[in-house]
Amino acid sequence: MSTIAADYERTDIGTIQIAPEVIEVIAGLAAVEVKGVAGMSGGFAGGIAELLGRKNLSKGVKVEVGQREAAVDVSIIVEYGNRIPEIASEIQQNVKRSIEMMTGLNVIEVNVHIHDVHFKTESKPEEEDSNFRVK
């Protein structure tokens, strides 16, 4: 991940710089907009996959930013029952479109890493017999 903001555009009155963290947030939001994405994964370094929380919108996203181009890696958790190739393709398109529209950078690649599958938990009905087990 690049930690220094690259000079994006020079104008008559100065320069415009976009920090890599800004691109990470844009990519993270674009990824979770896709139906079938349960959340973002911190990857192997984090050790534990968590569902997306509003506190860290760049979780599971790494970017490399140059003068005019960006490359993005997105680590996600998919919901069980969805077609992973379709979700990954939609994420690639949505992330690329969002970054290019908002920053003007050319996104040369969007790599999608599936780290987990999220199973919906069903609420268990309480057993009525268990209330009468001990009298």
Side-chain angles (χ1 to χ4, degrees):
M1 174 177 78
S2 178
T3 57
I4 300 172
D7 286 342
Y8 168 62
E9 186 174 323
R10 293 191 183 278
T11 65
D12 293 338
I13 57 174
T15 60
I16 299 171
Q17 295 180 330
I18 301 173
E21 293 81 13
V22 172
I23 297 168
E24 289 174 353
V25 170
I26 294 168
L29 288 171
V32 296
E33 286 177 353
V34 175
K35 186 176 187 275
V37 175
M40 303 298 288
S41 173
F44 296 116
I48 299 174
E50 298 177 28
L51 295 178
L52 177 71
R54 286 285 176 199
K55 59 187 173 195
N56 189 0
L57 298 175
S58 63
K59 181 179 182 67
V61 181
K62 293 182 181 165
V63 299
E64 291 181 29
V65 184
Q67 294 292 325
R68 297 277 179 206
E69 298 178 330
V72 183
D73 287 284
V74 181
S75 300
I76 66 162
I77 301 167
V78 297
E79 293 175 353
Y80 178 77
N82 292 287
R83 292 189 44 108
I84 293 173
E86 290 175 6
I87 293 171
S89 177
E90 194 172 337
I91 289 169
Q92 288 175 321
Q93 294 169 13
N94 203 30
V95 168
K96 180 177 172 64
R97 180 176 46 249
S98 296
I99 292 173
E100 288 180 347
M101 182 184 69
M102 293 181 73
T103 67
L105 292 170
N106 181 33
V107 178
I108 57 172
E109 65 182 34
V110 177
N111 301 309
V112 179
H113 307 276
I114 315 300
H115 282 222
D116 202 357
V117 177
H118 180 258
F119 296 94
K120 294 181 182 178
T121 57
E122 296 180 19
S123 58
K124 296 179 182 178
E126 293 185 29
E127 296 179 20
E128 295 178 16
D129 294 339
S130 65
N131 294 336
F132 301 107
R133 184 171 180 183
V134 178
K135 292 184 183 183

